Amino acid sequence: MIDSADQKATAQPAVARETVVILDFGAQYSQLIARRVREEQVYSEILEYDVPWSEVEQRNPSAFILTGGPESVVAPDAPHLPPQLLESGKPILGICYGMQELIHALGGTVVPGETREFGKAELVVDAVHSPLLEGLPTHSQAWMNHGDTVTELPDGFQTLAHTHTCAQAAVGDPARHWYGVQFHPEVKHSEHGKRVLHNFLRKVAGITERWEISSFIDRAVEEIRAQVGDARAVCGLSGGVDSAVAATLVARAIGDRLTCIFVDHGLLRKDEAAQVVEAFRDVLHLNLVHVDASQRFLNALAGVIDPEEKRKIIGREFIAVFEEEAQKIDGVEFLVQGTLYPDVIESKTPQSKAGAKIKTHHNVGGLPAIMALGLVEPLRLLFKDEVRELGRQLGLPEPIVKRQPFPGPGLAVRVLGAVTEERLAVLRDADAIAREEIEKEAELPWQYFAVLTPLQSVGVMGDGRSYANLVAIRAVSSDDGMTADWSRLSADTLARIATRIVNEVHGVNRVVYDITSKPPATIEWE
Ligand code: XMP
């Protein structure tokens, strides 16, 4: 243990002047709504529909969005609006369940539908002058997913749009700035959904602030200073963008009282470790401890084939090395982590609600449990694209800012079978070629890399017969890694990758391309 200091409070979030609170009724799309609102440059946060009202008030919301949800508002134990919501008098947009709940709470009628309406529908605008639907064509496509429908509107409400099967597809009470849409404006299949959200935020709610990452920096720096005081902090760098940005931001606040510890497990891609050291030491001039622990990790992994076992070993060694290094620094009371907003939202545990979510991956997370340090998580309210933008504004080099998602256990999950120095070298060279060629394509996949399989096969090389390794190439498009489709790389790109790998990487005589989507496959092979 390096320090038995009491668990320190997590940094208070840096907030905007005008915030939209998204009350979550258990929707599949809550995160997407928050992202779309941020894309409109309006700061938004998701809170569960039943949080204590004081938490809502703390954000001083300018407007509310009520999400969809799986329940029926007329079911006995359906989740209902917090009573203070309507009293607040603030503008409201209810989406799907959120709309039904708003109508129900105001005395309108919602009835269970005989059939569920699911998929695309033609939205017909009835109230062309409504601020919510301004700029929409009279006919457009919208995406529906509901069972119940609104049949009678409360006083003050009027129908704004309908579909063939849904008489109340958009409704509103312009005097009170309360609106509802039965369709899902946040999904791309709703052609003008973006416009509807824009209209709600700017025209109905009258929000004028344009929330930008630059305005986030100053507030975040102030809050980090207030939290850390005169103490010292450590941050584990993984080589990825999240920990890099978190460290850079905290360094801006507390300077050399932050020590970055880069545990180099020897499982990074070609030249990556050198890039991290150069960026942090030479470009950003941060206090960096670079521990080359590759031999230690290789020893621990010797002969291990099972992927879960590999992950466990790497996680364990990582923590051990990190702790050893952190112990050498006096007065450390805080640990900086690059936790992002999706991690925070996805975890519904009571602990995360209290603001202490720890990544469960074998990344740089999992440390505070044994170290009794306070957590500084300056990115916990940001989405990935916002973190990249923040990194750029903080002066991080582009190769780090643009880095693809990369598993914490690194190439150990891409060298199938035994992990040895020789096999890592083969994979690194093959992977570098694959990436270089794929980066010549007009559109970059979300993630793209090479995998060294444990298979050997026969080939002909010159006059002789070869028996050498099989390399697989994986390239996928995805939004969040939860689902993915294989990228339709051009045949020329694939041909160049195969020719170059077989010619330039000693020990490989065959290259295949993975054409499986996720599900049923995963992105990594392991
Ligand atoms: P799978 O293979 O499960 O991967 O489809 C989904 C995404 O997660 C990444 N991945 C990890 N990321 N720590 C991480 O931070 C890990 O241990 C880890 N394992 C997989 C993977 O690269 C893909 O983007």
Side-chain angles (χ1 to χ4, degrees):
M1 297 294 132
I2 59 163
D3 187 6
S4 58
D6 292 336
Q7 186 82 9
K8 300 289 186 300
T10 301
Q12 281 301 306
V15 287
R17 190 164 44 80
E18 293 178 295
T19 297
V20 170
V21 164
I22 297 168
L23 288 178
D24 186 1
F25 287 90
Q28 204 181 340
Y29 297 119
S30 308
Q31 241 191 76
L32 199 54
I33 299 172
R35 283 184 70 142
R36 295 278 178 261
V37 173
R38 300 247 188 125
E39 280 165 19
E40 290 297 324
Q41 289 182 285
V42 173
Y43 184 74
S44 64
E45 275 190 57
I46 302 174
L47 297 178
E48 280 177 59
Y49 75 96
D50 58 352
V51 288
W53 191 251
S54 57
E55 282 197 36
V56 175
E57 279 177 329
Q58 264 171 26
R59 270 99 180 157
N60 190 22
S62 302
F64 291 92
I65 294 180
L66 316 177
T67 77
E71 306 283 339
S72 163
V73 297
V74 287
D77 49 2
H80 292 301
L81 297 183
Q84 300 90 336
L85 175 71
L86 300 177
E87 289 158 21
S88 78
K90 295 282 166 63
I92 300 173
L93 175 66
I95 296 176
C96 197
Y97 182 92
M99 157 173 158
Q100 294 166 3
E101 182 49 31
L102 181 66
I103 296 303
H104 181 71
L106 291 167
T109 310
V110 179
V111 296
E114 279 167 20
T115 53
R116 195 167 183 84
E117 188 184 11
F118 179 86
K120 292 170 189 170
E122 190 180 47
L123 183 76
V124 184
V125 175
D126 303 304
V128 287
H129 299 299
S130 160
L132 188 73
L133 302 181
E134 216 179 284
L136 261 70
T138 47
H139 291 72
S140 66
Q141 198 177 73
W143 203 78
M144 309 288 256
N145 181 10
H146 64 114
D148 296 359
T149 48
V150 170
T151 52
E152 227 173 287
L153 295 176
D155 287 346
F157 273 78
Q158 63 193 72
T159 307
L160 307 178
H162 69 273
T163 72
H164 182 58
T165 50
C166 176
Q168 310 293 350
V171 301
D173 176 344
R176 289 185 285 185
H177 311 293
W178 289 345
Y179 289 86
V181 286
Q182 186 59 70
F183 60 92
H184 287 271
E186 70 277 18
V187 306
K188 290 216 167 89
H189 307 299
S190 288
E191 261 182 299
H192 297 282
K194 214 171 138 53
R195 179 80 209 202
V196 172
L197 288 174
H198 171 92
N199 285 347
F200 174 70
L201 299 166
R202 302 293 182 191
K203 297 190 192 307
V204 174
I207 293 173
T208 54
E209 186 179 21
R210 298 213 162 260
W211 191 76
E212 285 172 356
I213 277 295
S214 53
S215 62
F216 173 86
I217 298 177
D218 293 344
R219 283 171 212 250
V221 162
E222 250 171 60
E223 276 155 12
I224 295 164
R225 281 190 188 139
Q227 188 194 3
V228 177
D230 295 331
R232 290 186 166 272
V234 286
C235 180
L237 295 181
S238 66
V241 60
D242 305 345
S243 58
V245 175
T248 316
L249 184 59
V250 172
R252 185 160 292 195
I254 63 167
D256 60 10
R257 282 185 289 120
L258 172 72
T259 304
C260 299
I261 302 177
F262 173 36
V263 178
D264 183 357
H265 51 22
L267 302 166
L268 292 179
R269 287 167 293 197
K270 195 168 186 170
D271 301 331
E272 224 166 31
Q275 276 173 12
V276 171
V277 174
E278 189 191 310
F280 281 84
R281 192 168 282 161
D282 307 335
V283 179
L284 297 163
H285 306 294
L286 300 196
N287 210 346
L288 176 74
V289 177
H290 174 208
V291 196
D292 181 357
S294 41
Q295 201 52 52
R296 175 174 178 158
F297 279 83
L298 274 179
N299 292 346
L301 286 168
V304 179
I305 293 190
D306 177 61
E308 262 314 297
E309 190 58 27
K310 287 183 188 171
R311 283 176 173 274
K312 278 196 196 119
I313 292 169
I314 294 166
R316 188 189 66 210
E317 292 300 315
F318 188 92
I319 290 170
V321 177
F322 189 90
E323 253 203 317
E324 279 166 27
E325 291 305 319
Q327 247 164 359
K328 298 178 188 163
I329 308 162
D330 284 337
V332 172
E333 291 182 30
F334 290 92
L335 177 80
V336 178
Q337 288 210 140
T339 314
L340 305 193
Y341 201 36
D343 305 320
V344 175
I345 308 166
E346 266 158 30
S347 164
K348 304 259 181 201
T349 62
Q351 193 194 24
S352 88
K353 281 188 186 169
K357 160 81 171 109
I358 294 154
K359 278 188 179 176
T360 48
H361 275 317
H362 299 154
N363 295 345
V364 290
L367 291 162
I370 56 160
M371 297 206 333
L373 295 175
L375 279 184
V376 181
E377 297 182 305
L379 313 180
R380 65 194 313 282
L381 293 172
L382 302 184
F383 288 107
K384 192 85 170 188
D385 45 346
E386 294 172 326
V387 168
R388 290 192 206 276
E389 182 51 33
L390 178 59
R392 273 187 197 106
Q393 297 203 12
L394 291 168
L396 272 172
E398 203 60 11
I400 293 186
V401 168
K402 280 205 309 229
R403 197 147 281 177
Q404 311 175 34
F406 187 63
L411 298 182
V413 301
R414 296 183 185 164
V415 168
L416 273 56
V419 182
T420 63
E421 207 160 347
E422 297 70 40
R423 302 194 76 221
L424 281 170
V426 169
L427 176 60
R428 267 196 200 101
D429 287 344
D431 181 66
I433 293 171
R435 286 191 285 134
E436 190 185 321
E437 292 301 332
I438 292 171
E439 280 164 12
K440 293 177 186 162
E441 292 251 319
E443 221 175 290
L444 278 191
W446 191 71
Q447 209 174 356
Y448 47 103
F449 53 86
V451 176
L452 180 62
T453 73
L455 285 177
Q456 280 84 43
S457 73
V458 172
V460 279
M461 287 258 196
D463 294 331
R465 192 182 117 104
S466 66
Y467 189 64
N469 290 300
L470 172 71
V471 160
I473 306 299
R474 184 77 162 136
V476 294
S477 57
S478 176
D479 283 328
D480 50 13
M482 303 298 282
T483 61
D485 194 12
W486 62 280
S487 299
R488 272 49 170 183
L489 296 179
S490 77
D492 286 347
T493 299
L494 289 169
R496 272 199 312 273
I497 292 172
T499 309
R500 282 195 57 197
I501 290 179
V502 173
N503 284 337
E504 297 173 33
V505 184
H506 185 69
V508 180
N509 69 351
R510 197 179 289 271
V511 176
V512 295
Y513 187 48
D514 182 350
I515 51 166
T516 340
S517 60
K518 172 183 179 176
T522 49
I523 295 176
E524 303 291 346
W525 280 36
E526 308 217 22

